[in-house]
Amino acid sequence: MNLQFINKEDILTVLKILSIDNNIYYLTNNLSYEKLSKDEVIPELNIDSVRSLVPLKSFLLTHIDQLKEPKIPKKSNIVFGAKSCDIKARKILDNMFLADPQDPYYEVRNKSTLIFSSDCPDPQKTCFCTYIKGKPYPEDGFDLNFSPVHNGYVVEIGSVKGQKIVDQVQTYFKDTSKEQLSGRDKMRESAIEKLEQINKDFNKVKDTDLQKLFETKFHSDKWKELSKTCVQCYGCTNICPSCYCFFLAESNKSKENPFEKVRYWDSCQVTGYGRVGGGLNPRPKLYERFRNRYECKLNWRMVNFNMYACTGCGRCIDVCPGKIDIRKVVSELI
Amino acid sequence: MKNPYLATPAKIEKIIDETGNIKTFVLRPEEPINFKAGEFIELTIPGVGEAPFTPSSSQYETETLDVTVMKVGLATEKLHSMKEGDPVGIRGPLGNGYPIEKFHNKEVFIVGGGVGLAPLRALLFTLLHEIKKFKRIILCYGSRTPDDIVYKYLFPDWLKIKGLEILRSIDKCPEGHKWHETIGVVTCLLDKVKINLDNCVSIVCGPPIMMKFATLKLLELKHSPKDIYLSMERNMSCGIGKCGHCAIGPYFVCKDGPVFTYEQLKDQPEIWA
């Protein structure tokens, strides 16, 4: 494991240097990603907070995409402050979009996106990553990972690209001390403990093989009751870091290419999502579409990719006007 | 690598009226689309959108390809109003077709309903191309009325082919029509054929309700689930297993199908929808 230390006050300097060749998007106090501008003196940088409101997928699969010829951007994007839950969700997107035949638009963005992730020392009340095979810090899938310790960060190098960047600004990095490493361990343990506290009512979720559960719960009569407060706003699928479904349409914008397409994020919760021309609809009822989201995430993607397509980020809980909590839904079915 | 979202320009070369609401469009793409029977294409209807169709022509004809289309929704309505010479786009071929080699030396039992004969016609052309490789070919075809039969003009020739047996049924015979063959839903034809169950494959394509009851009937007649091939209809949109719309459980019909064995699907929910 390749670990370095950086002082807190040096981070902005490093970002400024890197911003010559890269677009830097950093996590802010209000949980959004802001682009670092040249003249900014002190950005509202806060990589120690929880995950951003808008998921990492926005950098890889934009919500509206004109499918012109895919172009490799001149500058790479560095996303600073991405959390473990989003990085895991990216693996689902990779599995979908990089499988043969590759999606050329995703591929180009994926290649030109660098992840500077950070630990999640202070999970919030809807976070439950450790209850669904996750951790509040990433173990892979990043170029650099930043763990807050006294006066600075322990930086883990996770890729060749990450190593190159550290080499480029080597003067700002130092070797780590024992105290810093034990500080990192303590902070991580404390985050896990906080998650235990937050989710103490959902211990059943943690101890259950969810795929096995959902294999047997498709015909449960509880789905109607569980979906009763769903108002079909599609917030849960839009905000989900691993939801990848899109709607493909004609763009009708290009005179040179009459077959140019556009795509939008779509949702399996939409009534007509699966409907075919002849009128057949595999999921005409609300509870059937509601159930589909759970089966997709906790059963079928496990069959395909050996991982859940839910990483415990809790965004769907935060966003739901019907107060539907995925942890409660799963608990009810156990 | 070719952009999988980019359509190949094509022109409608000829339009054949099949029934009151079904037409066959002969398409000439700028570059050949080398499909295998059972694979599908996404047809772009400019200004409206795309819809998936399985070509109904022979895979050995590479200059043009046919799609046989029933007027059911926005895209097909627009397509039906188009003229010979009009431009369209084609993406494909997509998905997996019929595994013809697995049918060699077997009795091939084909069950079709309505416009579902379109993919089956492509299959028939492939089978007839090397007819000696199959023990028997039996086609059971059901339609609502005699007027709803597609490819009426092909049946006289098909009936002359040695090694191909054809049984047809109609749901009802309107007054003034003559019909000397079976009346009833297509499943009632299945009892009439004696099949060697140890050495046969059955292939089903048609409207969902017909696919369901034909499959159940075949199972009742002791056909093995692994030898029943179904052409599944779902909302295939991207055609390359990305957009999610055509999912049946862990399968994406566009990528893992559209041809599946019943064995593959039998434990999945929502297969008949």
Side-chain angles (χ1 to χ4, degrees):
Chain A
M1 199 186 296
N2 200 346
L3 297 170
Q4 299 272 298
F5 176 80
I6 187 167
N7 278 315
K8 205 165 190 173
E9 56 266 30
D10 289 336
I11 282 190
L12 190 58
T13 319
V14 167
L15 290 181
K16 292 255 174 184
I17 294 168
L18 296 178
S19 71
I20 298 165
D21 299 322
N22 305 277
N23 300 311
I24 314 259
Y25 293 90
Y26 60 92
L27 189 61
T28 66
N29 284 330
N30 62 8
L31 302 183
S32 63
Y33 287 112
E34 293 290 334
K35 190 174 173 182
L36 187 76
S37 66
K38 275 181 196 153
D39 41 72
E40 203 158 6
V41 189
I42 308 163
E44 294 289 303
L45 178 79
N46 182 7
I47 59 162
D48 301 348
S49 64
V50 292
R51 83 284 180 286
S52 57
L53 295 174
V54 172
L56 178 66
K57 78 171 173 190
S58 316
F59 288 96
L60 304 164
L61 183 71
T62 51
H63 74 285
I64 295 179
D65 217 348
Q66 290 289 339
L67 303 187
K68 298 174 187 301
E69 263 316 288
K71 275 191 195 134
I72 297 161
K74 284 185 189 134
K75 283 183 170 188
S76 287
N77 287 338
I78 292 178
V79 184
F80 189 33
K83 301 288 163 172
S84 156
C85 46
D86 275 10
I87 290 167
K88 274 198 130 180
R90 182 193 186 183
K91 289 182 188 168
I92 288 287
L93 304 181
D94 284 355
N95 274 313
M96 287 302 293
F97 290 103
L98 300 180
D100 184 45
Q102 280 192 345
D103 183 292
Y105 304 94
Y106 183 88
E107 202 260 340
V108 157
R109 289 202 190 101
N110 203 41
K111 247 190 205 160
S112 56
T113 302
L114 286 135
I115 304 292
F116 287 11
S117 54
S118 58
D119 284 20
C120 196
D122 201 12
Q124 64 176 29
K125 64 181 193 306
T126 51
C127 291
F128 65 104
C129 58
T130 48
Y131 279 53
I132 191 148
K133 293 179 183 283
K135 292 205 168 114
Y137 53 89
E139 290 175 306
D140 55 14
F142 55 82
D143 296 290
L144 296 178
N145 181 62
F146 291 70
S147 311
V149 290
H150 185 61
N151 282 337
Y153 292 88
V154 171
V155 179
E156 185 175 340
I157 299 161
S159 73
V160 176
K161 279 183 185 173
Q163 182 66 58
K164 275 187 186 160
I165 282 181
V166 170
D167 293 346
Q168 190 189 339
V169 283
Q170 185 62 59
T171 43
Y172 298 97
F173 287 92
K174 299 181 188 80
D175 288 339
T176 48
S177 68
K178 263 188 184 171
E179 291 72 31
Q180 285 158 351
L181 290 182
S182 71
R184 181 174 90 146
D185 290 347
K186 269 185 200 147
M187 177 271 297
R188 288 181 165 183
E189 277 163 30
S190 139
I192 292 170
E193 271 165 34
K194 281 176 196 163
L195 283 156
E196 298 277 328
Q197 271 305 309
I198 293 164
N199 293 289
K200 60 182 187 303
D201 294 340
F202 307 112
N203 279 334
K204 278 200 289 186
V205 176
K206 194 180 186 180
D207 303 329
T208 303
D209 180 332
L210 298 181
Q211 191 200 4
K212 278 205 174 123
L213 175 78
F214 280 89
E215 266 175 7
T216 59
K217 292 297 173 183
F218 191 86
H219 298 290
S220 166
D221 51 14
K222 288 184 178 165
W223 287 112
K224 279 184 191 159
E225 185 63 30
L226 291 168
S227 58
K228 224 166 77 181
T229 59
C230 172
V231 294
Q232 300 192 75
C233 69
Y234 323 133
C236 52
T237 49
N238 276 337
I239 207 76
C240 176
S242 74
C243 269
Y244 49 78
C245 287
F246 62 83
F247 180 79
L248 190 64
E250 302 311 295
S251 98
N252 296 330
K253 278 194 177 160
S254 163
K255 276 189 181 158
E256 302 85 63
N257 182 8
F259 303 122
E260 191 176 284
K261 291 184 171 53
V262 59
R263 69 174 165 200
Y264 311 85
W265 287 353
D266 201 355
S267 170
C268 61
Q269 306 301 297
V270 176
T271 314
Y273 173 84
R275 188 167 53 214
V276 301
L280 167 113
N281 189 346
R283 293 177 286 276
K285 297 196 178 83
L286 186 148
Y287 85 89
E288 295 166 335
R289 298 190 293 279
F290 180 87
R291 173 179 64 193
N292 185 70
R293 192 167 75 91
Y294 290 83
E295 291 286 349
C296 171
K297 295 197 170 298
L298 303 173
N299 179 5
W300 297 326
R301 293 297 82 79
M302 191 55 125
V303 175
N304 297 139
F305 309 133
N306 198 28
M307 62 185 290
Y308 294 129
C310 170
T311 59
C313 75
R315 287 186 181 95
C316 58
I317 309 170
D318 289 337
V319 83
C320 183
K323 295 196 171 17
I324 294 165
D325 185 327
I326 183 168
R327 299 167 298 187
K328 280 187 197 156
V329 171
V330 175
S331 302
E332 285 287 323
L333 288 162
I334 294 171
Chain B
M1 193 192 69
K2 203 179 169 236
N3 183 343
Y5 298 108
L6 212 60
T8 302
K11 279 212 157 43
I12 299 176
E13 188 162 283
K14 198 178 163 194
I15 301 172
I16 303 158
D17 286 319
E18 300 284 354
T19 74
N21 63 350
I22 300 171
K23 288 180 181 181
T24 294
F25 297 84
V26 180
L27 310 173
R28 185 175 287 273
E30 279 181 9
E31 294 159 30
I33 309 285
N34 293 313
F35 71 94
K36 294 230 162 59
E39 293 174 349
F40 74 101
I41 58 158
E42 288 284 348
L43 184 66
T44 313
I45 297 132
V48 180
E50 283 188 326
F53 301 104
T54 300
S56 56
S57 49
S58 164
Q59 65 185 50
Y60 301 107
E61 301 258 339
T62 53
E63 295 286 302
T64 60
L65 65 86
D66 299 359
V67 288
T68 302
V69 179
M70 186 192 268
K71 189 159 76 174
V72 288
L74 275 180
T76 52
E77 212 161 274
K78 169 75 182 177
L79 185 61
H80 268 246
S81 74
M82 288 172 79
K83 306 267 179 302
E84 287 168 3
D86 282 351
V88 289
I90 298 175
R91 287 197 296 126
L94 303 163
N96 297 310
Y98 296 105
I100 302 290
E101 288 79 25
K102 287 189 181 169
F103 303 170
H104 285 169
N105 301 313
K106 289 189 176 168
E107 299 188 4
V108 185
F109 190 42
I110 304 168
V111 187
V115 76
L117 191 56
L120 298 176
R121 186 176 77 156
L123 171 67
L124 261 179
F125 284 139
T126 307
L127 299 177
L128 296 177
H129 187 79
E130 42 182 15
I131 192 164
K132 290 202 171 124
K133 289 192 176 161
F134 311 97
K135 282 248 169 348
R136 270 167 96 190
I137 304 167
I138 308 117
L139 169 66
C140 292
Y141 176 55
S143 46
R144 270 183 303 175
T145 71
D147 286 342
D148 293 309
I149 295 173
V150 292
Y151 316 131
K152 294 179 192 77
Y153 44 92
L154 288 178
F155 279 94
D157 284 343
W158 282 350
L159 285 163
K160 287 179 203 154
I161 296 172
K162 219 180 146 190
L164 172 65
E165 300 156 54
I166 296 177
L167 288 87
R168 297 193 297 183
S169 71
I170 53 165
D171 295 354
K172 56 177 186 275
C173 190
E175 266 182 51
H177 282 67
K178 277 185 188 162
W179 185 255
H180 304 297
E181 297 167 58
T182 306
I183 294 183
V185 290
V186 69
T187 44
C188 70
L189 294 176
L190 308 191
D191 286 318
K192 295 179 190 262
V193 186
K194 277 219 162 142
I195 283 273
N196 177 4
L197 287 171
D198 295 328
N199 191 34
C200 75
V201 290
S202 42
I203 295 127
V204 185
C205 186
I209 190 84
M210 170 262 165
M211 301 253 307
K212 177 178 176 176
F213 286 103
T215 305
L216 294 177
K217 182 78 189 176
L218 289 169
L219 293 169
E220 187 191 312
L221 294 169
K222 305 281 180 236
H223 285 245
S224 163
K226 66 176 176 22
D227 293 324
I228 300 175
Y229 290 85
L230 306 170
S231 276
M232 298 306 290
E233 183 189 15
R234 278 297 183 278
N235 183 10
M236 286 99 101
S237 173
C238 73
I240 51 172
K242 316 276 182 220
C243 80
H245 289 77
C246 65
I248 298 181
Y251 293 113
F252 296 100
V253 172
C254 71
K255 193 179 177 181
D256 303 315
V259 175
F260 290 92
T261 63
Y262 182 65
E263 177 72 24
Q264 283 175 288
L265 296 180
K266 67 181 180 4
D267 297 326
Q268 297 307 327
E270 301 168 346
I271 63 170
W272 308 121

